Amino acid sequence: MKELSLNVLDIAENSVKAGATLVCIHLIDDGNVLMMTVTDDGCGMKEEILRGVIDPFYTTRTTRSVGLGIPLLKLAAEQTGGEVTITSRHVSEYPESHGTEISARFYTKHIDCAPMGDIISTITTLIQGHAEIDFEFLHRSKDFDVHLDTREMRQVLGAEIPLNDPEILTWIAQYLKNLYEKN
């Protein structure tokens, strides 16, 4: 994937497919290192699946025989000298505290570090497509601090206004844009 925001989208979509009700996307950039972490409360992965997800020829999908999302993320991180770590707790073993965390470290000064891309569109697309799921987004650097939590939005809007309402999605995109520009 040519942009890191597409990796975020792919991983978050996997979280949705795993039955997550909350997906946390955190991007922390200290100027030299970008830590990308996606955490969910989905069903988690059993150990044998966890060992296989780095392999591009392993997938749980029945529509195709390859799964490139995590291997491409791993490649993107490793090309900068970084790494990817995955921890997961399957619901069968951890019924009260299951889920998955995928963390990637990118050395941003490296010539092969992919650009972030359109992270605002990624977040609004996730909310539009999965309005019933909560998303927490945090992107912090020395230049800005951007945060959006759909749980807080639901408290303000109430249950009668869906988060994928076109006016709400337009507001979300503009709110995020303003936070990036403000800093």
Side-chain angles (χ1 to χ4, degrees):
M1 294 181 201
K2 294 184 179 189
E3 298 176 342
L4 298 178
S5 61
L6 297 176
N7 291 109
V8 170
L9 181 63
D10 181 69
I11 295 166
E13 286 291 344
N14 288 340
S15 295
V16 170
K17 289 176 187 154
T21 60
L22 174 63
V23 179
C24 299
I25 301 164
H26 294 177
L27 307 170
I28 309 297
D29 186 348
D30 73 2
N32 295 311
V33 175
L34 170 67
M35 282 300 302
M36 172 192 299
T37 306
V38 180
T39 307
D40 69 51
D41 64 354
C43 66
M45 293 180 269
K46 291 185 176 181
E47 190 62 37
E48 61 273 7
I49 293 175
L50 188 57
R51 283 192 304 267
V53 295
I54 298 297
D55 180 357
F57 298 103
Y58 177 86
T59 183
T60 58
R61 292 182 179 199
T62 57
T63 56
R64 64 178 190 227
S65 59
V66 294
L68 295 175
I70 293 175
L72 287 175
L73 175 67
K74 183 176 185 282
L75 176 64
E78 288 176 350
Q79 284 179 327
T80 72
E83 64 186 352
V84 169
T85 58
I86 305 170
T87 57
S88 193
R89 297 165 65 104
H90 193 264
V91 65
S92 65
E93 297 175 49
Y94 303 93
E96 300 300 320
S97 61
H98 49 84
T100 300
E101 179 177 283
I102 299 176
S103 294
R105 179 188 320 272
F106 299 89
Y107 289 92
T108 58
K109 303 291 187 203
H110 194 283
I111 191 168
D112 290 326
C113 189
M116 178 54 65
D118 190 354
I119 194 69
I120 293 172
S121 290
T122 293
I123 300 305
T124 55
T125 297
L126 286 167
I127 295 169
Q128 178 181 12
H130 309 289
E132 72 285 358
I133 295 173
D134 282 312
F135 293 93
E136 179 192 38
F137 174 65
L138 172 67
H139 191 176
R140 182 172 289 148
S141 81
K142 61 183 171 109
D143 299 323
F144 54 79
D145 193 354
V146 176
H147 184 254
L148 177 82
D149 192 328
T150 58
R151 295 170 293 187
E152 294 171 359
M153 293 178 64
R154 289 181 205 285
Q155 288 179 345
V156 172
L157 294 172
E160 61 277 353
I161 301 175
L163 295 182
N164 60 357
D165 178 282
E167 289 183 32
I168 301 301
L169 291 170
T170 300
W171 181 89
I172 290 169
Q174 190 59 53
Y175 173 76
L176 291 172
K177 182 179 177 197
N178 290 343
L179 287 176
Y180 278 107
E181 290 174 352
K182 181 176 98 173
N183 297 297

